[in-house]
Amino acid sequence: MNNIVQITGGVTAPQGFLASGLACGLKKSGKPDLALVYSDPVATGAAVFTTNKVKAAPVLVSREHLSQQNKRAVIINSANANACVGPRGMADTLTIARALADLLQTTPDELFLASTGVIGVPLPVPPILAALPTLKENLSAGGGTDAARAIMTTDTFPKEYAVAYQHDGREIRIGGMAKGSGMIQPNMATMLAVLTTDAPVPQAVLQQTIRAVVDRTFNRITVDGDTSTNDSVFLLANGAAGGPPVTGGPALAAFTAALEEVCRHLAWMIVQDGEGATKFITVRVTGARTEQEAETAARAVANSPLVKTAFYGEDANWGRILAAVGYSGIDFAPEKTRIRLGELLVYDGAGLAFDEAAAKRILQEKAITTEINLNQGEAAATIWTCDLSQEYVRINGSYRS
Amino acid sequence: MNNIVQITGGVTAPQGFLASGLACGLKKSGKPDLALVYSDPVATGAAVFTTNKVKAAPVLVSREHLSQQNKRAVIINSANANACVGPRGMADTLTIARALADLLQTTPDELFLASTGVIGVPLPVPPILAALPTLKENLSAGGGTDAARAIMTTDTFPKEYAVAYQHDGREIRIGGMAKGSGMIQPNMATMLAVLTTDAPVPQAVLQQTIRAVVDRTFNRITVDGDTSTNDSVFLLANGAAGGPPVTGGPALAAFTAALEEVCRHLAWMIVQDGEGATKFITVRVTGARTEQEAETAARAVANSPLVKTAFYGEDANWGRILAAVGYSGIDFAPEKTRIRLGELLVYDGAGLAFDEAAAKRILQEKAITTEINLNQGEAAATIWTCDLSQEYVRINGSYRS
């Protein structure tokens, strides 16, 4: 898959996709809070949603819309999650869906909808309805970044990525945008992503592929272990690149690899932008008997407040890492285990008298990898996370706006 | 059990118990770091240990000593955990056990041993051996507080509690000391407690009782969700109060209730002294189908960094509480659920327009209770925790001394 190249344009990088973003008044700050991604020709649509038992209204509506294979557009508002507001939540989302469907001369079930922001406060519907015509007028092939900005909440920068690759003499493009920040954890907590491609992919194949790719990318990151009520990843494929349907073989392998690259980069951006994050931490568990076991151990380490604060403090505290593996629930032998910070071996069945200065140099880096080798098998898994800083507490200990 | 009264004296409150604590040089600060609790007459001994797969040497040794019913003493050092140092860890603990056994004219297996502090650094044995004679000479019936001080690590105050109750015309006393602070979570992470009683309780009954009581007290508190390698709770019963063996019926019921009161108060002190804690949070889940389900949900809420930072910020953020129940894994109906902050109902199947001023008054309290009523059964469970402050991050983001 070495023919995958990064390109600009985000969700509007692929042919046939338009996007727009504007401020309709949901954010007190006056910043953009409403985004639309539109496809012409009509696309097939797939999606993966939060596993949280508490699901926001737009998640429930979009999930129902999966029964319709075709998708025209994705609309997302920030500043309000339209979650936990009772029956009116569904009514409000359906009202917006109907109005947008009329405007785009399509049906509500050809739309995906998402909301992100404050929970438990009724969604202000009138300002959204009033903004729809302008949102449509503003649609443009260069509007990817506007849309990416409009879905931000506590994010400090818009998150976009796009790639192109050649297959059978055709160029296929895949673009994406995401928002993350607080409450990011496995199963896509308060994480939204919209992915677009001009590859011709049948809906069933698209759904299988996005689920598998999300499990290896967005579901392998964590900021604070919390998971939210609104997470959604949408993927639209409009076939504008032409060629035969992508249903398997090399064509699907190439598409999956490119999609995974886009999702991995968006996931990394979310971790890098984790609330108060000062370091990007890669926790890799190797030598496990199964990938599940490796992932369980890596997740425990990545979610440990003591490990995360140690990285924040640039403290070579492998004891906290080993202790986290110890309570992860997996069976392993501490006396056979090896722990590395970067390339530096700090624990080998017992603590080592390692070079403190070398450790300090590694821990002062912005990106740090720790490898825990359980030495009891061939399986491995990686979880990406960030450190836990005083800034995280400051952000989450005060009201959001 | 209304005849249970609080008394002073900690571990030396019951008849026949002596204790001492001194500084042998493990703590750079020169503060006390070695504690001894001794019983004459000889006691029966029970203990519960960490569930972490990574167990410190003294935990492994003390666990083996459970096969010996009689116990003479408990020795605890702070500043060094004697964990993850390889085979020498066991050798060092056994060396200390042999030396103390000779000094007390008993056998090593009549001793419980514990260590708490830095992981992965070899335990300095000579200073401990050198201090043993003085530690023995200093044993006194008023030494409970000295011992409680000597087991502190990042604790900001010594933790002692004792009660007395009448049974069949006899006074029975139960005393205890504990240390906690960072890394406290279910299954007693980096938590040590020594409990003493002059009740005559056979070892088998003592073991059953302490396990049940620990599950309802020390295992229901959490500070940061991490669990450690050294946690141990010891209980010695020397029968000095006289009377028939406590094996069941009202005698055991009274003993269990009194022991639970001591353990609950020690557990509360540990939470109140959680690293950087500014508030004591009681998370109570009611209306659950099973106690296990209630505990799972309460634990998820109590361990959520977002919930804990919201309490720190005095933010009535019931959305984070509901979201935590949502990802706890239990099955429940958000639309049937009720959430209270103190007495204030803030969520009733949907967010309520509650009195912000009233909420603020409740959240400004040092002790806050939140009740989540799932409305689908009769079971309930309570988890005690503290808020997550910037001070927690500061403490854990820098090297300990």
Side-chain angles (χ1 to χ4, degrees):
Chain A
M1 313 306 164
N2 45 22
N3 64 346
I4 300 170
V5 295
Q6 183 183 0
I7 58 175
T8 59
V11 289
T12 47
Q15 298 179 59
F17 284 95
L18 308 174
S20 64
L22 54 72
C24 71
L26 300 180
K27 284 182 183 168
K28 297 175 187 133
S29 62
K31 290 181 177 168
D33 47 27
L34 193 61
L36 181 65
V37 177
Y38 177 81
S39 178
D40 180 15
V42 66
T44 54
V48 182
F49 302 104
T50 181
T51 59
N52 196 306
K53 281 270 191 302
V54 184
K55 290 178 172 59
V59 169
L60 297 171
V61 171
S62 294
R63 200 174 51 176
E64 283 184 15
H65 289 185
L66 274 180
S67 56
Q68 159 63 271
Q69 298 199 8
N70 296 336
K71 288 290 172 287
R72 268 292 176 186
V74 181
I75 183 169
I76 300 176
N77 74 271
S78 53
N80 185 304
N82 191 19
C84 312
V85 292
R88 69 173 294 168
M90 292 294 282
D92 291 344
T93 295
L94 292 170
T95 300
I96 294 163
R98 249 181 262 102
L100 181 59
D102 293 347
L103 195 64
L104 300 179
Q105 294 169 329
T106 178
T107 53
D109 64 359
E110 289 198 351
L111 304 175
F112 281 137
L113 301 96
S115 300
T116 178
V118 179
I119 289 177
V121 178
L123 180 66
V125 175
I128 294 176
L129 295 181
L132 292 181
T134 315
L135 195 66
K136 180 193 173 191
E137 287 157 25
N138 293 359
L139 284 170
S140 81
T145 303
D146 290 342
R149 288 190 183 286
I151 64 174
M152 292 166 63
T153 55
T154 53
D155 304 71
T156 64
F157 59 86
K159 298 164 183 66
E160 295 184 277
Y161 201 81
V163 301
Y165 67 96
Q166 304 293 324
H167 187 75
D168 278 355
R170 281 196 178 73
E171 179 176 86
I172 307 267
R173 296 178 173 187
I174 302 177
M177 66 177 184
K179 66 87 45 188
S181 216
M183 255 171 94
I184 303 306
Q185 126 93 336
N187 311 319
M188 311 185 322
T190 302
M191 203 277 301
L192 295 179
V194 177
L195 302 155
T196 57
T197 180
D198 46 26
V201 190
Q203 202 271 346
V205 178
L206 204 63
Q207 184 63 40
Q208 275 179 7
T209 307
I210 189 60
R211 178 164 294 287
V213 169
V214 163
D215 282 340
R216 291 194 298 269
T217 56
F218 293 116
N219 283 350
R220 290 287 175 93
I221 62 174
T222 173
V223 169
D224 56 20
D226 275 28
T227 61
S228 100
T229 54
N230 290 61
D231 316 326
S232 309
V233 172
F234 304 106
L235 171 56
L236 271 54
N238 66 11
V246 176
T247 55
L252 182 57
F255 175 74
T256 303
L259 180 65
E260 182 160 346
E261 182 153 326
V262 172
C263 291
R264 190 188 311 112
H265 278 88
L266 289 172
W268 285 348
M269 286 184 216
I270 288 169
V271 171
Q272 280 152 6
D273 200 17
E275 285 169 343
T278 73
K279 292 176 185 296
F280 182 87
I281 314 293
T282 301
V283 179
R284 179 156 179 77
V285 172
T286 60
R289 289 171 302 195
T290 66
E291 184 180 354
Q292 178 52 52
E293 205 172 67
E295 187 183 336
T296 298
R299 234 181 249 300
V301 172
N303 278 330
S304 161
L306 282 169
V307 169
K308 293 158 82 74
T309 46
F311 276 117
Y312 172 64
E314 301 182 346
D315 176 358
N317 199 318
W318 55 263
R320 294 181 183 178
I321 294 172
L322 189 68
V325 177
Y327 66 71
S328 69
I330 71 156
D331 194 11
F332 76 112
E335 64 279 9
K336 280 171 50 188
T337 300
R338 288 200 191 91
I339 299 175
R340 278 192 163 75
L341 291 175
E343 287 309 302
L344 185 67
L345 188 66
V346 294
Y347 176 88
D348 185 1
L352 301 176
F354 56 83
D355 177 348
E356 288 283 352
K360 200 72 187 167
R361 276 194 300 279
I362 291 164
L363 291 165
Q364 281 167 346
E365 296 293 326
K366 283 275 158 246
I368 305 166
T369 296
T370 181
E371 184 199 350
I372 301 109
N373 185 339
L374 303 176
N375 271 309
Q376 59 187 16
E378 298 306 314
T382 299
I383 297 285
W384 298 288
T385 189
C386 56
D387 58 345
L388 172 57
S389 70
Q390 288 163 293
E391 181 65 5
Y392 171 90
V393 178
R394 194 194 60 71
I395 294 170
N396 288 298
S398 59
Y399 286 94
R400 306 278 177 85
S401 72
Chain B
M1 312 306 166
N2 47 19
N3 63 346
I4 300 171
V5 295
Q6 183 184 359
I7 59 175
T8 59
V11 290
T12 47
Q15 298 178 58
F17 284 95
L18 308 175
S20 64
L22 53 71
C24 72
L26 300 180
K27 283 181 182 168
K28 297 174 188 135
S29 62
K31 290 180 178 169
D33 47 28
L34 193 60
L36 181 64
V37 177
Y38 178 80
S39 178
D40 181 15
V42 66
T44 53
V48 182
F49 302 104
T50 181
T51 58
N52 196 305
K53 282 266 189 301
V54 184
K55 291 178 170 60
V59 169
L60 297 171
V61 170
S62 295
R63 200 174 52 176
E64 283 183 15
H65 290 185
L66 274 179
S67 56
Q68 160 63 270
Q69 299 198 8
N70 296 337
K71 288 291 171 288
R72 268 291 176 189
V74 182
I75 183 168
I76 300 176
N77 75 272
S78 53
N80 185 305
N82 191 18
C84 311
V85 292
R88 69 173 295 168
M90 292 294 283
D92 290 345
T93 295
L94 292 170
T95 299
I96 294 164
R98 250 181 261 100
L100 182 59
D102 293 346
L103 196 65
L104 300 178
Q105 294 170 326
T106 177
T107 53
D109 63 358
E110 289 198 351
L111 304 175
F112 281 137
L113 301 96
S115 300
T116 178
V118 179
I119 289 177
V121 178
L123 180 67
V125 175
I128 294 176
L129 295 181
L132 292 181
T134 314
L135 195 64
K136 180 193 173 191
E137 288 159 24
N138 293 0
L139 283 170
S140 81
T145 302
D146 291 343
R149 286 189 184 287
I151 64 173
M152 292 166 62
T153 54
T154 53
D155 305 70
T156 63
F157 59 87
K159 299 165 182 65
E160 295 184 276
Y161 201 81
V163 301
Y165 67 98
Q166 305 292 325
H167 187 74
D168 276 356
R170 281 195 179 75
E171 178 174 86
I172 307 269
R173 296 177 175 188
I174 303 177
M177 66 177 183
K179 65 88 46 187
S181 218
M183 252 170 97
I184 304 306
Q185 125 93 339
N187 311 317
M188 310 186 321
T190 303
M191 204 279 301
L192 295 179
V194 177
L195 302 154
T196 56
T197 180
D198 46 25
V201 190
Q203 201 271 345
V205 177
L206 204 63
Q207 184 64 39
Q208 276 178 5
T209 307
I210 189 60
R211 178 164 294 286
V213 168
V214 163
D215 281 340
R216 292 194 298 267
T217 56
F218 292 117
N219 283 350
R220 290 287 175 93
I221 62 174
T222 173
V223 168
D224 56 20
D226 275 28
T227 61
S228 100
T229 54
N230 290 60
D231 316 325
S232 309
V233 172
F234 304 106
L235 171 55
L236 272 55
N238 67 10
V246 175
T247 55
L252 181 57
F255 175 73
T256 303
L259 181 64
E260 183 160 345
E261 181 153 327
V262 172
C263 291
R264 189 186 310 113
H265 278 88
L266 289 172
W268 286 348
M269 286 183 213
I270 288 169
V271 171
Q272 280 151 7
D273 199 18
E275 285 169 343
T278 73
K279 292 175 187 295
F280 182 87
I281 314 294
T282 300
V283 179
R284 179 156 178 77
V285 172
T286 60
R289 290 172 300 196
T290 66
E291 183 180 354
Q292 178 52 51
E293 207 170 64
E295 186 182 337
T296 299
R299 233 181 250 300
V301 172
N303 278 330
S304 161
L306 283 170
V307 169
K308 292 158 82 76
T309 48
F311 277 117
Y312 172 65
E314 300 182 347
D315 176 358
N317 199 319
W318 55 263
R320 294 180 183 178
I321 295 172
L322 189 68
V325 177
Y327 65 71
S328 69
I330 72 157
D331 194 11
F332 76 112
E335 64 277 11
K336 280 170 52 186
T337 300
R338 289 199 190 90
I339 299 175
R340 278 192 163 74
L341 291 174
E343 287 309 302
L344 185 67
L345 188 66
V346 293
Y347 175 88
D348 185 1
L352 301 176
F354 55 84
D355 177 348
E356 288 284 352
K360 199 72 188 168
R361 278 194 299 279
I362 291 164
L363 291 164
Q364 282 167 346
E365 296 293 327
K366 282 278 159 243
I368 304 166
T369 295
T370 181
E371 184 200 349
I372 301 109
N373 184 341
L374 303 176
N375 271 310
Q376 59 187 16
E378 298 305 314
T382 299
I383 297 285
W384 297 288
T385 189
C386 57
D387 57 346
L388 173 56
S389 71
Q390 288 163 293
E391 181 66 4
Y392 170 89
V393 178
R394 195 193 59 69
I395 294 169
N396 288 298
S398 60
Y399 287 95
R400 307 275 178 86
S401 74

